[in-house]
Amino acid sequence: MRDSASNGQLAAIEIDGVYRAFPGVMALTDLSLTVRSGEIYGLAGENGSGKSTLLRMIAGLDKPDGGEVRIGGQRLQGIRSALRSGIAFVTQEPSLVDSLSVAENIGLGRHLDSGLFVRHGRRKAMVKEMLARLGLENLDLDMPASRLQPHEMQMVTIARALVSEPEILLLDEATSSLTDNQTERLFEILREMKALGKTIIFITHKLTEYLTLCDRIAVMRDSHFICELTREEANEERIVREMVGRELTQLFPDAPALSELTSPVLLQLEEVSCEGASDISVSFKQGEIFVLAGLSGCGRSELLRAIFGAVPSRGTMELDQRPYRPRKPVDAVQSGIAYIPAERKSEGIIAGLSVLENTVISRRVRERPWSRVKAEQERQLYEELKQVFKIKAASGATRIETLSGGNQQKALLARATSSTPRVLLLDEPTRGIDVGAKADIYRLLRQLTRDGVTVIVSTSDLQEAVGIADRIGVMFRGQLLQVMEQDFTSERVMYYATGNY
Ligand SMILES: Nc1ncnc2c1ncn2[C@@H]1O[C@H](COP(=O)(O)OP(=O)(O)OP(=O)(O)O)[C@@H](O)[C@H]1O
Ligand SMILES: [Mg+2]
């Protein structure tokens, strides 16, 4: 069983005319492609184009409605046969059990000790070594997974897959919470695996990662295979064009003229401290996009939570020159402050409810009970938001957890803006969002600022920070080191983010 490639490498994975339909949507339409052994294969496509569905199929977690998946020439028969073929899958949302420790999550739990301690000891050493290579040598393996930061959660999930020494490794947006440096460490490990003949399929929305890592890149659009590019043929514009089906002219909208930025202060923080951030004094102006930048764990997420009343804080806050003391999130919502957390699976979406309910729920909370939003109005509101945010869902009644990751994120953004907030707090708003949708979201945020909304964004994406911000505040170890007004570059942000000042 050889594929037609001239270099004669073995075909590790063959996707042969695969179809998969869900109620009201096609996820995969007559999809065929071949991934070779010893290859790093990129899978690109807009949100909802079918990437995760394809990986779930290769991992044996889902079955095609038609066509077949072959691993090493053998027809795949479900999850057991996938495991036998040595497949490891890092899913798009981290799949750790919150209540268990890191060690238990990686399969090092006490309950696994008996009888297996020889292998167990070796495995523990491997895990330690792997985490160290990923830059987490100091991570406490006995800590409950619920206390991990998003990037740590992602790293632990990756480490768990790597120590199983897979023949085939599937990575679904595994770098979405990682910094460039952490990603580079991972890439080094992946290249070593490739040299050993292992096969890797890699999905990301950071397009440069395809160019630095992948041998070939397949582009999908709307459930169809569109084309396959070699590393030599590929560049960012080309990938985008194939993904979106048109030229994408501008990722970031034009910033307003500086003269427009003399607006009054809307939200003022005076020596605000909370767990993870201390003595933060800063004023946010009406109608500006203020970006909080800094390395993961620098305190920017914590600061957003404090402003939203999701964690206790000290110090003083003023909203529109009046004291603002949020004790719980509902205080914030009623004062016109909306928030989207970085962890959409555990804190953002309300699983079990429909996408419609998920998008209009903030409006329900903000409206007084006696002026309850009527079902028909809610439907209208949802339809508007769906259009604006280009949410891809079969219907408003579709359960939110069945939407593709990027579309869940769009629904959350829609929810936050539907309550017509005065201040919008966004933690990693475009994580997992495709490049076309990013451009839409950035334009939308700029539009909101024109209506006077203050947008405060915490992001690990430097390009995003520099591209959308009116001002950038850089945090380091819980402190706000520097606020930059203009002329910011990624290099300057990085300079402060690493503790120089
Ligand atoms: N269990 C499910 N039930 C219903 N629809 C589903 C289910 N799983 C996937 N879909 C739909 O199939 C389509 C493809 O989804 P998929 O998750 O594969 O997209 P994706 O390319 O991974 O997107 P993203 O970049 O946003 O993660 C989407 O329209 C999604 O809503
Ligand atoms: Mg996906």
Side-chain angles (χ1 to χ4, degrees), residues 355-357 359-361 363-364 373-389 391 395-397 414 417-418:
V355 49
L356 183 148
E357 287 168 307
T359 42
V360 302
I361 196 147
R363 178 74 73 95
R364 283 189 194 166
V373 189
K374 302 270 174 349
E376 179 51 28
Q377 284 174 329
E378 285 195 343
R379 210 189 48 75
Q380 268 181 16
L381 175 64
Y382 168 71
E383 288 302 328
E384 273 168 36
L385 292 167
K386 183 181 167 179
Q387 290 246 321
V388 172
F389 287 90
I391 299 171
S395 84
T417 56
S418 75

Side-chain angles (χ1 to χ4, degrees), residues 46-53 92 172-173 203 205 404-406 432:
E46 291 189 286
N47 296 134
S49 56
K51 305 178 297 296
S52 298
T53 305
Q92 187 166 351
D172 195 351
E173 296 187 35
I203 298 176
H205 284 296
S404 80

Side-chain angles (χ1 to χ4, degrees), residues 122-136:
R122 176 166 169 268
R123 200 176 146 96
K124 185 159 189 173
M126 279 173 68
V127 169
K128 282 249 167 222
E129 188 195 322
M130 195 56 79
L131 286 172
R133 288 202 61 184
L134 292 168
L136 292 184

